[in-house]
């Protein structure tokens, strides 16, 4: 059985959480599989994806025993949280703080990544029991904001989501984040010609950039 500690290591060990927010279940599944081939160990299928629970279930069945952390994103309440866990998710992600969602996840020892923006929201999110605080939307603040917030709150396990690329990822880790949320840099890499090998390559490129940033 994969423990919560092991599951959390799938994010912190690689430093990346893939955010899969796409227009179809087929594309979400293909992108996820290609990204896993490229080294991704943790990913969330957002509930905005049509048939998201089915995608989560398929990925959990295929990769859950291989140390891949399959999760659900945009989980806004307790009901959605339980549905996602029942589908096989071992990670729940939200753009905002919903204490009932965190309570449900913690009851079943699922990893949680909960959204916050201001220092007050960050502290409230930690107090509510989130494992990682998702800084969202991060593209409007940048690494300097993380550095400023972590001066009084060095214990905050921050993960920026939005605008993270292989070119700027070192700035984020230099500022003190525990991981980064990775989106279109990887998930939309195959859009030009439909070749999902580009997704695999983009995932590998991102993970190598993270490894270099943390060295």
């Amino acid at each position: 059985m994969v423990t919560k500690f092991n599951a959390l290591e799938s994010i912190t060990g690689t430093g990346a959480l893939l955010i899969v927010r796409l227009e179809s279940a087929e594309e979400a599944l293909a992108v996820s599989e290609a990204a896993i081939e490229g080294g991704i160990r943790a990913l969330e299928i957002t509930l905005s994806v049509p048939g998201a629970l089915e995608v989560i279930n398929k990925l959990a069945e295929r990769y859950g025993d291989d140390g891949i952390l399959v999760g659900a994103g945009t989980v806004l309440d307790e009901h959605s949280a339980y549905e996602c866990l029942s589908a096989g998710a071992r990670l729940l992600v939200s753009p905002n703080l919903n204490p009932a969602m965190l309570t449900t996840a913690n009851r079943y020892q699922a990893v949680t990544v909960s959204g916050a923006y201001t220092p007050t929201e960050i502290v409230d999110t930690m107090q509510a029991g989130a494992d990682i605080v998702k800084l969202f939307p991060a593209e409007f603040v940048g690494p300097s904001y993380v550095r400023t917030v972590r001066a009084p709150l060095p214990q905050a396990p921050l993960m920026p989501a939005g605008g993270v690329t292989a070119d700027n990822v070192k700035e984020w880790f230099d500022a003190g984040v525990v991981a980064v949320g990775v989106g279109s840099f990887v998930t939309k890499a195959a859009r030009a010609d439909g070749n999902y090998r580009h997704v695999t390559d983009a995932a590998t490129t991102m993970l190598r950039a993270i490894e270099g940033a943390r060295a």
Side-chain angles (χ1 to χ4, degrees), residues 99-125:
M101 184 278 273
L102 294 177
T103 297
T104 301
N106 288 329
R107 182 180 300 131
Y108 295 99
Q109 288 295 282
V111 174
T112 52
V113 179
S114 180
Y117 193 72
T118 68
T120 297
E121 291 173 349
I122 291 169
V123 172
D124 287 347
T125 300

Side-chain angles (χ1 to χ4, degrees), residues 143-173:
S144 61
Y145 182 76
V146 170
R147 193 174 290 106
T148 300
V149 168
R150 290 191 74 254
L153 299 172
Q155 75 276 25
L158 298 177
M159 184 196 81
V164 178
T165 68
D167 292 330
N168 67 24
V169 71
K170 187 177 189 309
E171 299 173 41
W172 288 106
F173 280 99

Side-chain angles (χ1 to χ4, degrees), residues 20 22 24-33 43 45 49 55 59:
V20 182
L22 297 167
S24 73
E26 294 76 16
E27 186 181 17
L29 186 61
V31 164
S32 298
E33 292 179 331
L43 68 161
I45 307 300
V49 174
V55 176
L59 291 171

Side-chain angles (χ1 to χ4, degrees), residues 43-120:
L43 68 161
E44 58 165 296
I45 307 300
T46 68
L47 293 185
S48 60
V49 174
L53 294 180
E54 184 178 353
V55 176
I56 290 167
N57 184 256
K58 287 180 179 178
L59 291 171
E61 287 186 348
R62 293 179 189 177
Y63 301 104
D65 292 334
D66 297 330
I68 305 299
L69 179 59
V70 178
T74 324
V75 183
L76 303 180
D77 52 48
E78 182 178 11
H79 176 72
S80 298
Y82 186 76
E83 281 195 327
C84 293
L85 294 172
S86 297
R90 298 301 304 150
L91 160 72
L92 299 181
V93 184
S94 64
N96 65 306
L97 171 59
N98 183 278
M101 184 278 273
L102 294 177
T103 297
T104 301
N106 288 329
R107 182 180 300 131
Y108 295 99
Q109 288 295 282
V111 174
T112 52
V113 179
S114 180
Y117 193 72
T118 68
T120 297

